Amino acid sequence: MENEDILVYRLGASCDLADIEEQKYYIGKVQGFANFGMFVQLNDRIKGLVHKSNIKAEHKERDTILVKVRQIRPNGNIDLEEVQIQVYQVQNIEKKSTTVRIVDLGTKIGKTVAIEGEVAQIKQTSGPTIFTIVDESGTQNVAAFIEAGVRAYPEIELNDIVKVIGEVMKRNNQLQIEADAITKLSADDAIQVRVRIEKALDIRSEPEDIPLLVKSEVLEHLRPEMKKVAKIIRKAIFTAQPIIIRHHADADGICSAVAIEQAVVSLIKESGADFDADYYLFKRAPSKAPFYEIEDITRDLDFSLKDHVRFGQKMPLVVLTDNGSTEEDEPSYKIASVYDIPFVVIDHHHPDKTIDKYLVAHVNPYHVGGDFGITAGMLGTEVARLINPKVEPIIRHLPAVAGVGDRSEAPERALYLALVRDQYSEDICKYIALALDYEQFWLRFNDGREIIKEILNISGNSARHTKLVALLVEGANAMIEDQLSACMPHVVTRELKNGAKLFLLDVEIHAHKFTFPPPGKTSGEVHDRLCKEYEGSPVVTIGFGPDFAVLRSRGVLMNIPRMVRELHVEIPGGGISGGGHLVVGSIKFVEGMRDTVLEALINKISEAQVQK
Ligand code: MN
């Protein structure tokens, strides 16, 4: 009679390690034999070993037998013992281990839990293999160990949906799960989990509805697209997808990119699995050219592919700012599309429609009737606030710096300046913008993450910020003075038939080379002086070298990208390309055609309308 009370369990198909207990009896099926015993499956996913000393009868494969669980080892292996019981009751076990959401793991330290999620990274260390798992609530590192430096669970791949069972530990102040078992979910279960995670992530990635920093109709119209960009960036962060932000290497581009950098880095730190995730999941890099050139995509692709192979990282999301809106970027987009790299663009250069097919989202004031006066730094800062509103206090002055840096004449410039007037006067914003340009010249291709934060007074040491900016401004002004005293006497003047004054400067032979200010900025400084000197008149300044020219204008209604396109057609063999803003831009050509190209260009300028 006593035996009738013995319970034997039958494991349901979805049960896993967490559902079995030591010393209890289970129905199993013989799976195969080894020298040291036989393997018995308790369901499709769980099998244990009956050592030969614990086998009670002869069996063949697929025999049903009864076993007792003697021990579950720390590595997840199960020791079984065959039992022979004549009378017993069978009880079905359905999955009782409910999975824990990653965000709740902090309350489970020391406990064994199950989590389900997507594998976002697989990194082999000299010790364990580290799997980064993403669920709807967060990101968690899981350490799995078989042997030092050997890849654990080689069947688990990037982007698989898995179930992890293991103990929650605290290491170096960070949560980690030490895996007892990692199993790939069945196709049906995986779809369910993927849908669940995707839905929840979609809601979690939705930016908060916060008002803009300033009242602006153009910005208000851009808000839906800015929210879209912010959502894409937030989702990349929550799914441990690396983010690369590329920007024009001037004060406006830097302000835009740094605002987004602050939002992204702080959000990675809040939700990332590793203390240094903000370094390997985020990269900011200036583009030397005023567009995303092939050299840039080549570097980005090179690094991303290496990180993918070496550290099991996903391919990145690329964010372009103060760059990316024009057809000059198209060759790079074509290369990136081979690897399905998603792009978002935040720019204020006159956009070409042809590039939209390469972009997931595109914020540009021209799309809603605005123009370049809404600078990239203004746009980037508003997007950054949508990504993570908490960073607002440290970035709210960046639009003002960007506005003066890019010489915006839009009403928004004054609004952003008014916003921070107490701490940053217009002059201080100008100093900071100049310091950024000057420092970027010395940084060359580097982002200078921490130095730039100091210049922008983000690092929290205001005294050092003030000292550094003063020193940089002094250095920049001295070099500008030096450059201008050399080149101003060589400026050639012409009166155009539309009444505009044209100033020509050969920066190749009448300015210092390979130094600060470079040709573009030199021409800009010359232009600024001449504008002051000829207050009230329309002014165009052309600084040219053997195979390029830089244009600045005031009061002349030019369209530089269109003039460049026309010249390209009208002068065969001119090798003409270029672009930029409508009234500030650059043009390239072949050296032997310089005089022809410049004359044709001047001709077009003399036909443009002037503002009275
Ligand atoms: Mn700009």
Side-chain angles (χ1 to χ4, degrees):
M1 281 306 284
E2 195 189 312
N3 277 353
E4 283 183 33
D5 294 325
I6 292 181
L7 283 176
V8 174
Y9 297 99
R10 179 186 285 128
L11 274 192
S14 56
C15 292
D16 52 47
L17 205 59
D19 299 304
I20 61 172
E21 281 179 52
E22 292 179 355
Q23 307 311 321
K24 294 202 164 161
Y25 301 110
Y26 295 88
I27 296 176
K29 193 185 277 177
V30 177
Q31 188 204 32
F33 298 90
N35 287 341
F36 41 85
M38 69 181 171
F39 291 103
V40 172
Q41 283 186 302
L42 303 187
N43 68 7
D44 281 351
R45 336 175 152 191
I46 297 182
K47 74 174 174 190
L49 176 72
V50 184
H51 189 263
K52 62 186 174 193
S53 62
N54 290 320
I55 297 177
K56 304 282 162 62
E58 285 222 7
H59 296 289
K60 57 180 190 310
E61 277 181 27
R62 305 184 66 78
D63 276 0
T64 296
I65 68 165
L66 299 183
V67 293
K68 180 169 95 174
V69 173
R70 290 165 58 92
Q71 194 192 357
I72 303 170
R73 295 179 186 243
N75 64 1
N77 286 353
I78 306 165
D79 293 339
L80 302 172
E81 173 186 344
E82 183 178 6
V83 290
Q84 292 177 314
I85 311 168
Q86 308 309 324
V87 186
Y88 53 88
Q89 281 187 32
V90 174
Q91 193 165 317
N92 291 321
I93 304 183
E94 284 318 319
K95 186 156 105 172
K96 73 163 181 249
S97 74
T98 47
T99 57
V100 175
R101 294 191 320 155
I102 285 172
V103 70
D104 298 325
L105 288 175
T107 62
K108 309 280 182 197
I109 294 167
K111 299 216 168 81
T112 295
V113 299
I115 61 170
E116 284 174 341
E118 184 181 2
V119 179
Q121 189 184 333
I122 306 171
K123 187 174 175 183
Q124 185 57 53
T125 69
S126 56
T129 309
I130 306 291
F131 294 85
T132 302
I133 309 296
V134 170
D135 78 356
E136 64 271 40
S137 71
T139 305
Q140 180 59 48
N141 275 352
V142 172
F145 187 80
I146 28 167
E147 209 180 301
V150 175
R151 167 77 142 81
Y153 301 101
E155 73 280 10
I156 305 290
E157 293 168 6
L158 202 60
N159 300 326
D160 278 351
I161 297 281
V162 296
K163 174 166 200 159
V164 175
I165 294 166
E167 189 180 342
V168 184
M169 324 269 278
K170 203 153 197 192
R171 281 213 173 188
N172 305 326
N173 243 342
Q174 287 195 303
L175 289 181
Q176 190 177 72
I177 293 183
E178 304 225 334
D180 291 332
I182 304 180
T183 44
K184 209 163 151 166
L185 295 193
S186 70
D188 287 352
D189 289 352
I191 288 171
Q192 275 186 27
V193 173
R194 210 181 277 282
V195 167
R196 186 185 83 207
I197 291 177
E198 190 54 40
K199 256 192 199 159
L201 271 177
D202 202 63
I203 295 167
R204 190 171 163 222
S205 306
E206 192 66 45
E208 235 177 272
D209 232 328
I210 49 171
L212 299 165
L213 280 174
V214 296
K215 246 189 146 62
S216 155
E217 211 178 311
V218 176
L219 285 168
E220 204 56 59
H221 283 129
L222 283 173
R223 194 215 278 269
E225 196 68 7
M226 293 202 284
K227 273 184 87 174
K228 189 173 167 191
V229 167
K231 184 172 178 174
I232 292 165
I233 292 174
R234 282 170 64 86
K235 203 177 223 172
I237 295 167
F238 296 148
T239 55
Q241 179 180 25
I243 296 172
I244 295 174
I245 181 159
R246 280 276 183 183
H247 59 89
H248 187 201
D250 70 352
D252 181 42
I254 295 169
C255 285
S256 180
V258 168
I260 295 171
E261 171 186 278
Q262 296 314 304
V264 169
V265 164
S266 61
L267 203 56
I268 289 177
K269 281 190 171 152
E270 276 172 37
S271 52
D274 272 329
F275 65 93
D276 60 348
D278 57 315
Y279 268 88
Y280 66 80
L281 289 180
F282 178 83
K283 197 177 110 197
R284 175 172 69 79
S287 294
K288 271 282 166 187
F291 56 93
Y292 189 59
E293 62 183 331
I294 296 194
E295 183 169 346
D296 298 332
I297 178 62
T298 307
R299 277 169 187 246
D300 292 345
L301 201 52
D302 181 32
F303 281 116
S304 300
L305 288 169
K306 282 176 185 159
D307 284 350
H308 180 66
V309 171
R310 256 183 97 192
F311 304 120
Q313 288 193 10
K314 295 181 178 181
M315 289 301 275
L317 166 70
V318 180
V319 180
L320 300 183
T321 186
D322 204 15
N323 258 355
S325 279
T326 67
E327 58 188 16
E328 291 176 285
D329 307 287
E330 191 163 354
S332 295
Y333 290 145
K334 280 188 174 155
I335 294 171
S337 66
V338 174
Y339 289 89
D340 289 324
I341 294 175
F343 277 84
V344 297
V345 169
I346 302 162
D347 195 6
H348 67 142
H349 289 83
H350 197 269
D352 291 314
K353 284 197 184 70
T354 48
I355 53 115
D356 277 326
K357 58 176 173 287
Y358 302 104
L359 311 182
V360 195
H362 184 184
V363 174
N364 191 310
Y366 286 97
H367 290 161
V368 296
D371 65 22
F372 63 93
I374 307 278
T375 75
M378 299 171 185
L379 299 168
T381 302
E382 296 292 354
V383 170
R385 294 171 64 243
L386 291 167
I387 295 168
N388 187 357
K390 283 186 203 158
V391 297
E392 185 187 312
I394 58 169
I395 61 168
R396 68 204 306 260
H397 58 300
L398 302 198
V401 175
V404 300
D406 247 20
R407 297 141 200 265
S408 162
E409 285 169 15
E412 284 78 0
R413 167 192 164 128
L415 298 178
Y416 280 114
L417 276 166
L419 191 70
V420 294
R421 199 169 25 211
D422 296 349
Q423 213 189 339
Y424 303 94
S425 66
E426 184 162 349
D427 279 344
I428 287 178
C429 289
K430 279 182 183 162
Y431 295 150
I432 294 175
L434 178 60
L436 286 175
D437 280 337
Y438 185 58
E439 190 67 7
Q440 189 62 59
F441 175 79
W442 299 114
L443 280 167
R444 297 171 56 85
F445 291 102
N446 299 317
D447 67 332
R449 193 191 280 199
E450 299 302 325
I451 305 174
I452 296 294
K453 273 163 69 180
E454 202 88 78
I455 295 171
L456 284 170
N457 200 16
I458 289 175
S459 56
N461 189 331
S462 284
R464 208 161 54 194
H465 152 80
T466 308
K467 251 192 212 166
L468 182 62
V469 170
L471 205 63
L472 291 172
V473 166
E474 194 188 307
N477 280 333
M479 291 185 81
I480 291 171
E481 209 40 63
D482 195 36
Q483 183 77 299
L484 289 203
S485 65
C487 69
M488 281 306 279
H490 302 285
V491 172
V492 175
T493 311
R494 277 210 223 169
E495 296 279 345
L496 297 183
K497 66 176 185 215
N498 58 358
K501 288 196 184 315
L502 174 72
F503 298 104
L504 289 159
L505 171 66
D506 187 336
V507 289
E508 177 74 7
I509 54 172
H510 293 132
H512 298 294
K513 283 196 276 187
F514 311 116
T515 186
F516 185 87
K521 192 170 173 65
T522 299
S523 309
E525 292 291 336
V526 168
H527 178 69
D528 286 350
R529 296 214 174 175
L530 294 167
C531 282
K532 247 184 221 156
E533 199 172 317
Y534 296 93
E535 192 76 60
S537 311
V539 170
V540 179
T541 308
I542 300 180
F544 61 89
D547 60 353
F548 69 91
V550 187
L551 284 81
R552 312 268 153 157
S553 68
R554 181 192 66 192
V556 183
L557 301 172
M558 307 196 296
N559 182 334
I560 294 173
R562 194 171 66 208
M563 293 195 307
V564 169
R565 275 197 299 273
E566 288 170 5
L567 289 172
H568 177 83
V569 178
E570 290 162 14
I571 307 180
I576 292 164
S577 68
H581 293 301
L582 294 179
V583 297
V584 181
S586 61
I587 174 167
K588 281 198 239 172
F589 39 80
V590 292
E591 195 171 342
M593 293 293 279
R594 184 181 78 182
D595 294 347
T596 313
V597 174
L598 284 181
E599 278 315 312
L601 179 66
I602 292 165
N603 226 353
K604 285 196 185 294
I605 296 170
S606 69
E607 280 161 8
Q609 275 201 325
V610 296
Q611 282 171 326
K612 292 284 183 278

